[in-house]
């Protein structure tokens, strides 16, 4: 446009000059008539009347094209009441939104203010279309996470533009992520300075175990999970996110759960290649919580973690040898530790977005994961209130359990990316595990538990001994 204006200005000047002096003859005192000599340069802007008219037409046409804004398509909003009635009648409401109708309504009441679109803003940005109601925003968010549906499909279903879907999904994620007023959404560690809270949690774990009190003081299992992502951008070291074992990019998430598979702690802790012991070292609030625990209480993890007085681990195959009592310790320990695997499996089974490759920026990927964990807790707590949730009963060790019996679907991502429990465990061989200097090892608690097993001469059930005669017991 700037070039057209410049050309037009020069053409107008040339046009005026020629018309003032007899159609192009230039008279100025003693100068001869103006004609280009053979050795003169030809002026590239030698316009005639027709050229001037053409330039003026171009300027008008170009200017109109820039000034006229395309009229927005008037999307027809879905009739939410009809949509809901149809899903309820066909029995598909819970399948679509991953929760029962009254749980949906209760969550909507908690989030309504955060999910309400400004009427004034909506009317101006949509040329008078009705604002998107909170019910539809919540529905879009739950389907985005629960079914893994993408913005184009949601836009067609609910009568809005793809841009609007992206905006309302972000509203939904923020509303859940930043919510600290709805108790059913929260992840809460018991107060380490409140002996009553700590003792109550330990008692729940004692009830969940069949170890006859051998593991008294246990407060929860910790483990790592690798949600897959695309190669991250705008990071200093992309290779740090790549798992050589799974041949994919991902993030290292650390979590701790209770006997009902509620997450008490969750952290997107590190790039996917990071070893669990290093990732756990970045979980500062969890480390602080562990440090404040009264004597006699501890959590449990696999052998990727450093054995300490506050974090127990199983015996490795090399450590067991032919010691039946160490096998017994591992049997009872695995009954408790398997619950974090169940929690991860339930999380990804219900919120299917987590089984896909997350293809957003690291910040958004992390937010999606956090929101899913809060919704996981919400669904379990609401079912506990209804009296419809049954705490998983684990009567054998991890190898004897069928995930489908606990509502967990297996996962097959191709290659090594297969999992009985529906999620990819962080893999210790992706990064050297020799980081004992981060946490000084201390096996005194485990040795005391083993001594108690010796003194009682406790052995694991006979059916488990038969099954594992030739089984690799390394955990």
């Amino acid at each position: 446009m700037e070039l057209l204006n410049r050309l037009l200005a020069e053409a107008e000047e040339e046009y005026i000059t020629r018309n003032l002096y007899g159609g192009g003859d230039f008279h100025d005192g003693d100068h001869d008539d103006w004609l280009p000599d053979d050795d003169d340069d030809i002026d590239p802007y030698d316009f005639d009347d027709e050229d001037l008219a053409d330039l003026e037409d171009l300027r008008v046409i170009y200017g109109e094209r820039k000034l006229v804004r395309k009229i927005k398509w008037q999307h027809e909003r879905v009739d939410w009441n009809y949509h809901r009635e149809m899903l309820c009648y066909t029995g598909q409401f819970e399948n679509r939104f991953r929760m029962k109708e009254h749980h949906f309504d209760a969550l909507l009441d908690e989030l309504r203010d955060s999910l309400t679109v400004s009427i004034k803003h909506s009317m101006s940005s949509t040329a008078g279309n009705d604002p998107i109601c909170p019910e539809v925003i919540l529905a879009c968010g739950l389907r985005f996470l629960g079914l893994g549906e993408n913005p184009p499909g949601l836009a067609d279903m609910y009568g809005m533009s793809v841009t609007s879907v992206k905006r309302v999904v972000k509203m939904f994620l923020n509303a859940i992520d930043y919510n600290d007023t709805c108790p059913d959404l929260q992840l809460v560690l018991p107060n380490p300075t409140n002996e009553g809270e700590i003792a109550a949690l330990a008692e729940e774990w004692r009830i969940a175990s069949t170890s006859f009190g051998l593991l008294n003081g246990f407060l929860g299992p910790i483990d790592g999970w690798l949600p897959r992502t695309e190669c991250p951008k705008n990071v200093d070291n992309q290779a740090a996110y790549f798992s050589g074992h799974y041949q994919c990019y991902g993030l290292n998430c650390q979590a701790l759960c209770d006997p009902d598979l509620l997450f008490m702690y969750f952290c997107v802790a590190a790039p996917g290649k990071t070893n669990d012991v290093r990732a756990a070292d970045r979980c500062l609030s969890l480390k602080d919580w562990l440090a404040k625990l009264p004597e006699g209480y501890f959590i449990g993890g696999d052998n990727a973690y450093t054995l300490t007085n506050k974090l127990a681990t199983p015996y490795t195959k090399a450590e067991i040898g032919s010691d039946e009592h160490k096998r017994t310790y591992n049997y009872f320990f695995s009954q408790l530790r398997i619950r974090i695997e169940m929690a991860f499996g339930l999380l990804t089974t219900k919120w299917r977005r987590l089984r896909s490759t997350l293809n957003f920026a690291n910040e958004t990927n992390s937010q999606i994961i956090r929101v899913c964990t809060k919704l996981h807790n919400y669904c379990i707590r609401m079912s506990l209130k209804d009296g419809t949730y049954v705490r998983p009963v684990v009567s054998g060790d991890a190898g004897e359990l069928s995930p489908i019996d606990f509502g967990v679907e297996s996962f097959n991502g191709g290659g090594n990316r297969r999992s009985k429990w529906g999620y990819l465990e962080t893999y210790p061989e992706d990064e050297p595990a020799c980081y004992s200097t981060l946490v000084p090892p201390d096996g005194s608690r485990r040795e005391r538990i083993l001594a108690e097993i010796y003194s009682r001469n406790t052995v694991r059930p006979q059916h488990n001994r038969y099954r594992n005669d030739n089984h690799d017991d390394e955990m």
Side-chain angles (χ1 to χ4, degrees), residues 290-308:
L290 282 173
K292 292 178 179 177
L293 284 179
E295 183 61 32
Y297 296 100
F298 64 101
I299 63 174
D302 59 24
N303 293 117
Y305 298 92
T306 302
L307 174 66
T308 71

Side-chain angles (χ1 to χ4, degrees), residues 207-248:
I207 294 171
S209 173
T210 63
S211 66
F212 311 104
L214 289 169
L215 296 170
N216 282 354
F218 184 83
L219 297 178
I222 185 174
D223 204 1
W225 163 45
L226 182 88
R228 295 175 299 157
T229 70
E230 288 189 348
C231 179
K233 299 177 176 62
N234 301 322
V235 296
D236 294 333
N237 185 5
Q238 292 178 330
Y241 292 82
F242 188 77
S243 166
H245 176 74
Y246 294 120
Q247 290 295 295
C248 67

Side-chain angles (χ1 to χ4, degrees), residues 169-189:
V169 167
K170 186 62 177 177
M171 283 181 65
F172 164 83
L173 293 175
N174 288 340
I176 300 283
D177 194 20
Y178 300 141
N179 180 279
D180 58 4
T181 60
C182 176
D184 295 322
L185 281 171
Q186 309 312 315
L187 283 64
V188 182
L189 285 166

Side-chain angles (χ1 to χ4, degrees), residues 406-440:
F406 300 93
V408 175
E409 297 178 12
S410 61
F411 171 74
N412 185 354
N416 288 331
R417 297 185 293 275
R418 294 182 173 89
S419 170
K420 171 183 176 181
W421 286 100
Y423 75 104
L424 299 183
E425 295 183 73
T426 49
Y427 198 71
E429 293 182 14
D430 274 336
E431 188 178 56
C434 303
Y435 293 100
S436 59
T437 55
L438 293 175
V439 182

Side-chain angles (χ1 to χ4, degrees), residues 55 73 174 250 269 275 321 330 339:
L55 283 172
W73 179 259
N174 288 340
N275 185 274
N330 275 11
R339 290 177 188 263

